[in-house]
């Protein structure tokens, strides 16, 4: 177990993982604490998962990071201060659902100055989706893909410091970063990755394009 209070955030961030991410978690917690004091209440978060078991497992990692940096889980996304959609793009309907819900979140964000909206997952690996978000959904704060889920805390710190839409989508990666915090949703089961990506580019399947090579 990593104690964030023991991490020195005054120097340069480590290069190796996962030490680098714990450095940014410690830094992000300072920002969340300051925002919470300004709001006069704990800041809350909610994660919404679209798609497969891989996305569900990734969402547990996202929730674990958000809890460690000081957010409190809240299943009501209209009132949450950090809303993250872990998206799927296997079917067009999944994309349309995300766009529809984003339109509703825009109104919620206008009422809540502390709200941040993050989008990740397979849908973000499609360049045309990112272009549409840049043009029509400028209120989204953070956009990242499937290959850098583990970088959530680092992206949050960058967004706090820049106060602009942050886009960090990788085409591929050879990194598998483990030993990060995770919030299990079930006491009786847990997902275990046996493979990342796929090398079989079947004509009907988008997985190799959004999850990368095996």
């Amino acid at each position: 177990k990593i104690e964030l209070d023991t991490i020195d955030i005054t120097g340069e961030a480590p290069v190796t993982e996962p030490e680098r991410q714990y450095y940014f978690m410690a830094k992000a917690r300072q920002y969340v604490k300051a925002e919470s004091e300004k709001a006069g209440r704990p800041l809350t978060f909610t994660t919404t998962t679209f798609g497969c078991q891989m996305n569900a497992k990734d969402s547990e990692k996202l929730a674990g990071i958000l809890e460690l940096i000081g957010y409190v889980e809240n299943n009501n996304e209209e009132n949450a201060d950090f809303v993250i959609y872990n998206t799927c793009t296997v079917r067009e309907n999944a994309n349309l659902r995300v766009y529809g819900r984003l339109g509703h979140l825009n109104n919620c964000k206008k009422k809540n100055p502390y709200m941040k909206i993050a989008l990740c997952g397979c849908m973000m690996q499609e360049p045309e989706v990112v272009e549409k978000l840049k043009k029509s959904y400028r209120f989204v704060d953070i956009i990242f893909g499937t290959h850098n889920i583990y970088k959530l805390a680092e992206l949050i710190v960058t967004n706090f410091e820049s106060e602009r839409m942050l886009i960090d989508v990788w085409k591929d990666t050879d990194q598998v970063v483990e030993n990060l915090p995770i919030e299990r949703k079930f006491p009786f089961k847990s997902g275990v990755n046996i493979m990342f990506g796929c090398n079989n580019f079947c004509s009907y399947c988008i997985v190799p394009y959004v999850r990368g090579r095996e």
Side-chain angles (χ1 to χ4, degrees):
K1 183 179 179 181
I2 301 293
E3 294 292 341
L4 295 187
D5 292 333
T6 65
I7 298 175
D8 179 13
I9 58 174
T10 60
E12 292 292 320
V15 177
T16 57
E17 302 290 3
E19 294 80 12
R20 180 180 177 86
Q21 295 315 309
Y22 278 105
Y23 168 93
F24 281 106
M25 286 177 217
K27 206 165 186 178
R29 190 161 71 167
Q30 297 298 316
Y31 283 113
V32 173
K33 183 181 178 182
E35 288 287 284
S36 181
E37 290 173 352
K38 196 187 303 181
R41 57 175 175 77
L43 297 189
T44 61
F45 81 93
T46 182
T47 58
T48 300
T49 306
F50 301 85
C52 66
Q53 299 97 322
M54 179 79 79
N55 272 14
K57 185 172 187 297
D58 284 342
S59 290
E60 290 184 338
K61 294 179 183 177
L62 297 170
I65 292 169
L66 289 168
E67 285 199 342
L68 192 61
I69 67 176
Y71 284 99
V72 178
E73 189 163 20
N74 169 17
N75 292 324
N76 186 344
E77 66 182 36
E78 293 184 2
N79 300 323
D81 300 297
F82 196 102
V83 178
I84 184 162
Y85 287 166
N86 191 358
T87 62
C88 173
T89 193
V90 170
R91 297 177 180 87
E92 184 181 12
N93 186 50
N95 289 26
L96 296 177
R97 284 173 63 199
V98 170
Y99 290 132
R101 292 175 76 162
L102 278 177
H104 178 64
L105 277 186
N106 188 23
N107 293 326
C108 299
K109 188 170 184 180
K110 290 175 181 176
K111 300 173 185 176
N112 182 0
Y114 302 100
M115 179 182 274
K116 290 186 180 292
I117 301 170
L119 302 174
C120 66
C122 297
M123 186 176 163
M124 301 305 114
Q125 294 295 140
E126 298 186 87
E128 60 271 21
V129 168
V130 175
E131 285 303 312
K132 182 172 181 174
L133 292 168
K134 284 165 64 176
K135 290 178 181 177
S136 304
Y137 298 87
R138 293 296 306 169
F139 57 89
V140 173
D141 297 281
I142 302 172
I143 297 171
F144 57 114
T146 58
H147 305 300
N148 54 346
I149 289 282
Y150 67 90
K151 279 186 65 179
L152 177 61
E154 185 171 348
L155 297 174
I156 289 174
V157 168
T158 303
N159 178 256
F160 268 120
E161 293 177 347
S162 66
E163 296 184 346
R164 59 176 174 78
M165 177 186 273
L166 176 63
I167 300 172
D168 189 16
V169 180
W170 300 357
K171 187 175 180 180
D172 208 343
T173 185
D174 58 358
Q175 287 197 80
V176 177
V177 179
E178 299 287 4
N179 298 320
L180 294 173
I182 191 164
E183 176 61 30
R184 304 286 187 203
K185 294 300 178 184
F186 303 96
F188 54 87
K189 70 174 182 178
S190 173
V192 178
N193 290 106
I194 58 171
M195 185 174 80
F196 293 89
C198 185
N199 288 340
N200 299 315
F201 286 79
C202 302
S203 60
Y204 56 83
C205 185
I206 199 172
V207 167
Y209 299 96
V210 295
R211 284 285 177 178
R213 301 301 294 267
E214 183 180 329

